[in-house]
Amino acid sequence: MMLLKQIKEVRKLVKSWRKEGLTVGYVPTMGALHEGHESLIKRAVAENDRVIVSVFVNPTQFGPNEDYDAYPRNIDKDMQLCMNAGAVAVFNPEPEEMYFDDKSTSVSVSGLTDVLCGAKRPGHFNGVCLIVSKFLNIVTPDKAYFGQKDAQQVAVIKRMVRDLNIDVEIIPCPIIREEDGLAKSSRNTYLSYEERKAALVLSRILQMVRKELDNGERDANKLREMIAEELNKEPLAKIDYVEIVDSDSLKHVEVIERSILVPIAVYIGKTRLIDNFIYEL
Ligand code: AMP
C-alpha cells in the first residue's frame, strides 16, 4: 500500500502502470472513509487493474462559515480501509501541493450549479470542479467513481468532463446506508444521540415519497408540500431545501412525466445532511 504526498509521485506511478498496459480506476474522497467510500473503491477494484484513492479535504469547496477546520481527518484509518478494499495507492497531498498561492484559473459549470446545493452553497461547485479537474489531470484514470449520494455533484462532474473533453468515464455508484436507513456520511459523526435519531427523518420521508410515486402521484407540488410538512414535524430538523427536479437537467418539475431526482438537504442541529433518490419513469 503506497501513501503518496506529491503530484510527481502519482504521475510516475500511473506512467509505470500504463507502460504495463494496466487500466486505472480512481476514487476521489475527502477522507474519514466509511462503507459508502468503500463501495466505490471495491467497484473500482472490480473494474480496473489498479486503483488509486485521493484523500484531500479540499479547502476551495468549503464556504467561509462551513466546517473545513472541523472536518474529520484520520489518514491511518483511511489507509487501512483503502488497503482492505483493494486499492494500491492513496494520494494525500497537503493543500500547498494542490494550490499555488497565485492560482488564477477557475472551473465553473453554469446552469446545473445554480440550483439545490449550488444555490445554497455559493462557490461550492467551483471548488469541486477545480479540484476534480486537477485530480483527473494528475491521475489520468480510465474510470472515476462518484457516489449518487451527491447527485448534483455527479451531474456537474459529468457535464464538466463532457464539456472539457476529459478522457475518463464517470461511474455513478448507489447510496450506501446504515441499517436504519440513514445515508452514510463522514458528517454523521457530528450528530449527538438525539440528533442521530432525528436524522432518520430524511430517509423516512424519501421512502414516503417513493411510495406516493408508486401509487401514481404525479403532482410534484403536492409531494414537495408533503415532504415539508413531514420535516416540520421533527423539531431538531430545519429544511435547507426540498426539491423535485428533472434527473438530467436538474430543472424544477411541476408534473412528473419522466425520470426525476428527489433531493433534500436538512440541518439536524448544526449538521447539514443531504439525501436523495432517483425515480425512473
Ligand atoms: P466525500 O469524501 O464526502 O467527498 O465523498 C467522496 C465520494 O464518496 C463522493 O463521490 C461521494 O458521493 C461518495 N459517498 C459518500 N457517502 C456515500 C454513501 N453513503 N454512499 C455512496 N457513496 C458515497
Side-chain angles (χ1 to χ4, degrees):
M1 185 68 183
M2 285 170 273
L3 175 61
L4 311 175
K5 301 292 291 182
Q6 293 183 329
I7 294 167
K8 64 178 182 205
E9 295 175 290
V10 178
R11 290 199 195 277
K12 196 171 155 201
L13 182 65
V14 173
K15 226 177 239 174
S16 74
W17 290 339
R18 293 277 177 227
K19 253 191 203 152
E20 291 179 64
L22 301 171
T23 58
V24 180
Y26 168 54
V27 183
T29 81
M30 296 206 300
L33 303 182
H34 49 66
E35 287 90 339
H37 302 107
E38 186 179 38
S39 72
L40 269 54
I41 301 169
K42 284 189 169 161
R43 171 99 181 259
V45 167
E47 296 180 354
N48 300 273
D49 297 318
R50 296 286 183 273
V51 169
I52 181 161
V53 178
S54 60
V55 173
F56 181 63
V57 185
N58 174 35
T60 64
Q61 71 189 68
F62 286 78
N65 298 316
E66 293 184 354
D67 56 342
Y68 174 70
D69 289 326
Y71 199 84
R73 294 160 168 88
N74 191 339
I75 189 66
D76 293 337
K77 205 163 153 243
D78 289 347
M79 291 276 292
Q80 198 63 47
L81 184 144
C82 290
M83 190 173 79
N84 293 343
V88 277
V90 169
F91 180 36
N92 175 228
E94 297 304 318
E96 306 79 65
E97 177 72 4
M98 292 310 298
Y99 290 114
F100 297 96
D101 287 340
D102 63 346
K103 74 175 166 59
S104 329
T105 304
S106 55
V107 183
S108 133
V109 172
S110 61
L112 288 178
T113 61
D114 296 341
V115 295
L116 311 176
C117 289
K120 293 290 177 178
R121 304 180 67 188
H124 169 69
F125 283 113
N126 285 356
V128 169
C129 287
L130 181 60
I131 197 65
V132 171
S133 57
K134 283 163 76 73
F135 278 136
L136 292 176
N137 277 334
I138 292 163
V139 179
T140 63
D142 297 281
K143 293 179 176 162
Y145 296 79
F146 291 83
Q148 200 57 47
K149 159 110 188 320
D150 298 273
Q152 188 175 15
Q153 176 170 273
V154 171
V156 169
I157 295 296
K158 271 186 166 172
R159 184 67 61 88
M160 177 189 81
V161 160
R162 186 201 73 176
D163 287 355
L164 295 179
N165 303 93
I166 302 178
D167 192 11
V168 64
E169 191 182 343
I170 301 300
I171 314 279
C173 302
I175 301 176
I176 303 298
R177 298 176 179 279
E178 303 285 354
E179 259 175 39
D180 59 9
L182 179 66
K184 293 203 182 241
S185 164
S186 308
R187 291 191 167 98
N188 290 350
T189 56
Y190 297 153
L191 300 171
S192 69
Y193 179 75
E194 287 305 319
E195 289 171 342
R196 172 67 182 74
K197 277 203 289 191
L200 282 181
V201 71
L202 283 92
S203 52
R204 200 169 60 232
I205 283 175
L206 292 181
Q207 263 177 0
M208 273 175 52
V209 175
R210 190 188 281 278
K211 219 179 256 167
E212 291 296 313
L213 287 162
D214 284 344
N215 289 338
E217 182 60 75
R218 294 294 176 263
D219 182 339
N221 286 326
K222 251 195 199 165
L223 292 173
R224 274 189 279 266
E225 273 165 31
M226 192 188 88
I227 299 173
E229 211 169 279
E230 236 4 78
L231 272 168
N232 285 332
K233 285 188 201 158
E234 176 48 68
L236 292 180
K238 199 177 124 252
I239 299 173
D240 196 28
Y241 65 73
V242 165
E243 251 305 2
I244 294 177
V245 295
D246 182 276
S247 59
D248 293 324
S249 67
L250 305 187
K251 287 205 171 112
H252 186 85
V253 165
E254 296 279 334
V255 181
I256 299 162
E257 288 167 328
R258 38 169 291 162
S259 295
I260 50 163
L261 169 70
V262 185
I264 58 179
V266 177
Y267 281 96
I268 303 289
K270 285 196 174 128
T271 306
R272 185 176 179 278
L273 300 179
I274 56 171
D275 201 348
N276 71 80
F277 71 94
I278 287 180
Y279 196 81
E280 310 271 2
L281 268 190

